[in-house]
Amino acid sequence: MKKVLKIFMLLALLFFTAASSPAWICKYKEDYLKLYHVHYGQNSDDCLENIYWLEQAVKADFANPLYACTKITNEEEWEKYRYLFMLHINLKLIEQHLRLGRIYDKSAAYFYDAPYKDEYLRNLKTAKEAYTICYTYWEEAKIWAEKANTGKFRFLILTGIQNWEDERERVSTGSLNYQKILDRELTRLNKVIDDLVAMEGKNY
């Protein structure tokens, strides 16, 4: 009986502690970015959740530089930080849409897929839509990378967000080129669609 009473008191304490805790309101880009996370085994709902938070981050305002994702000491750092933030967000949106597309994608069409081709075609349509929207994010990413790579920032490196700086460098030098990746994936996907459509009337 004492054990049950202790458990009840503990649950009551947890409940009232949670109820009295102040709510955390998402308002700024940095707030929404904190909600982005990658699961070990990411399903479509996980991707859609991340896409939602990232899209909210795109639309929101920046927080005061005091609450930036790295230490900001002057206006020049603040300007570059904003460009790198937007570059990072757009690259993450591409990444999440590619992950989402791959859930519905099919690497090739085999003769024994004929009985299920309609279902495969529906899934491939979803994958194609996910891949295609990435072109928009890629164009945005290139714009922000260019802004963050101008001469005035040549000797300014925000070491607190070195991974974002690395993304800028990779986009600027072309070592990261989502245009080629997307073209390749869509070319392959369209061939799979054509192969499945050609199975009309066949059954195995």
Side-chain angles (χ1 to χ4, degrees), residues 117-162:
K117 72 177 186 62
D118 290 338
E119 184 177 348
Y120 284 134
L121 287 169
R122 281 193 297 271
N123 286 342
L124 288 167
K125 180 182 177 184
T126 302
K128 187 173 182 177
E129 289 171 354
Y131 294 158
T132 302
I133 197 171
C134 291
Y135 285 108
T136 302
Y137 297 123
W138 178 237
E139 290 304 314
E140 281 290 312
K142 288 191 295 183
I143 291 170
W144 294 112
E146 185 178 353
K147 285 177 177 288
N149 209 43
T150 55
K152 66 187 289 188
F153 300 128
R154 186 182 304 276
F155 301 107
L156 174 59
I157 302 295
L158 301 179
T159 56
I161 45 175
Q162 185 63 54

Side-chain angles (χ1 to χ4, degrees), residues 101 103-110 113-131 186 188-202:
I103 292 171
Y104 295 96
D105 203 346
K106 183 169 171 54
S107 59
Y110 302 99
D113 292 329
Y116 320 104
K117 72 177 186 62
D118 290 338
E119 184 177 348
Y120 284 134
L121 287 169
R122 281 193 297 271
N123 286 342
L124 288 167
K125 180 182 177 184
T126 302
K128 187 173 182 177
E129 289 171 354
Y131 294 158
L186 283 168
R188 176 195 51 75
L189 184 146
N190 284 327
K191 183 182 184 307
V192 176
I193 290 175
D194 291 342
D195 291 344
L196 287 169
V197 170
M199 293 179 184
E200 188 68 41
K202 292 183 180 180

Side-chain angles (χ1 to χ4, degrees), residues 86-104:
M86 294 304 295
L87 167 63
H88 181 69
I89 289 290
N90 279 281
L91 291 178
K92 288 301 174 187
L93 279 163
I94 294 172
E95 180 185 294
Q96 288 300 303
H97 278 87
L98 285 174
R99 284 176 179 265
L100 179 63
R102 286 178 186 134
I103 292 171
Y104 295 96

Side-chain angles (χ1 to χ4, degrees), residues 20-146:
S20 61
S21 297
W24 181 51
I25 300 173
C26 281
K27 184 176 181 181
Y28 300 108
K29 291 181 184 294
E30 290 82 358
D31 296 331
Y32 287 110
L33 182 58
K34 288 176 183 175
L35 295 173
Y36 166 84
H37 57 287
V38 178
H39 301 80
Y40 176 72
Q42 209 168 9
N43 60 37
S44 58
D45 287 343
D46 297 327
C47 292
L48 290 170
E49 178 189 353
N50 274 334
I51 288 169
Y52 175 79
W53 295 131
L54 292 168
E55 288 286 8
Q56 296 307 305
V58 169
K59 293 185 285 187
D61 293 326
F62 281 99
N64 184 286
L66 184 64
Y67 303 104
C69 298
T70 189
K71 186 177 181 179
I72 301 296
T73 60
N74 57 55
E75 290 184 11
E76 194 173 61
E77 290 180 351
W78 174 233
E79 182 183 359
K80 187 175 186 183
Y81 164 79
R82 298 198 309 273
Y83 298 154
L84 290 175
F85 189 103
M86 294 304 295
L87 167 63
H88 181 69
I89 289 290
N90 279 281
L91 291 178
K92 288 301 174 187
L93 279 163
I94 294 172
E95 180 185 294
Q96 288 300 303
H97 278 87
L98 285 174
R99 284 176 179 265
L100 179 63
R102 286 178 186 134
I103 292 171
Y104 295 96
D105 203 346
K106 183 169 171 54
S107 59
Y110 302 99
F111 74 94
Y112 48 77
D113 292 329
Y116 320 104
K117 72 177 186 62
D118 290 338
E119 184 177 348
Y120 284 134
L121 287 169
R122 281 193 297 271
N123 286 342
L124 288 167
K125 180 182 177 184
T126 302
K128 187 173 182 177
E129 289 171 354
Y131 294 158
T132 302
I133 197 171
C134 291
Y135 285 108
T136 302
Y137 297 123
W138 178 237
E139 290 304 314
E140 281 290 312
K142 288 191 295 183
I143 291 170
W144 294 112
E146 185 178 353

